[in-house]
Amino acid sequence: EFWRLRAAMKDQCLFVGKTISTFGNMTKVEEMLTDGQLPLTCGIVSESTRFIFRSGSSRLFWLVQMSKEMWDFTDDGDLYFKRFLQFAAE
């Protein structure tokens, strides 16, 4: 999939913020750097262009087994369930 995307973008002019739709996928240019890691605002894709693909839709699911102890109070008056939610939000 990424190989076809790179081939479709060859010899195209790209700029930071450009959205590209290829093969049903939406891709957005977030950042462009030179070989010396200096930022660019635009450029042309060539054979030597290196891409870094990052997914914007990755997710993390936590499955928590609830028990009756989760509804008990801690020594300072908080519910264990509330304390877990605070931990998960960090």
Side-chain angles (χ1 to χ4, degrees):
E1 185 85 19
F2 294 128
W3 181 86
R4 288 192 292 167
L5 178 62
R6 289 180 65 174
M9 290 194 306
K10 186 175 180 242
D11 297 328
Q12 282 192 25
C13 180
L14 298 180
F15 56 90
V16 175
K18 182 175 182 176
T19 303
I20 305 158
S21 177
T22 54
F23 308 111
N25 294 320
M26 295 295 292
T27 306
K28 184 176 180 183
V29 178
E30 291 286 332
E31 185 178 30
M32 297 174 70
L33 302 172
T34 64
D35 286 340
Q37 301 298 311
L38 298 173
L40 293 173
T41 56
C42 63
I44 296 178
V45 178
S46 69
E47 290 287 333
S48 63
T49 302
R50 292 181 293 159
F51 291 88
I52 299 174
F53 296 100
R54 291 200 169 90
S55 174
S57 64
S58 60
R59 295 183 181 175
L60 174 68
F61 291 97
W62 286 19
L63 299 176
V64 178
Q65 182 176 352
M66 295 295 292
S67 64
K68 66 178 186 166
E69 288 83 10
M70 291 292 281
W71 299 107
D72 290 342
F73 290 95
T74 62
D75 292 336
D76 58 358
D78 285 338
L79 287 172
Y80 282 108
F81 176 69
K82 181 181 173 186
R83 192 168 279 181
F84 168 75
L85 291 178
Q86 291 171 345
F87 167 77
E90 294 176 4

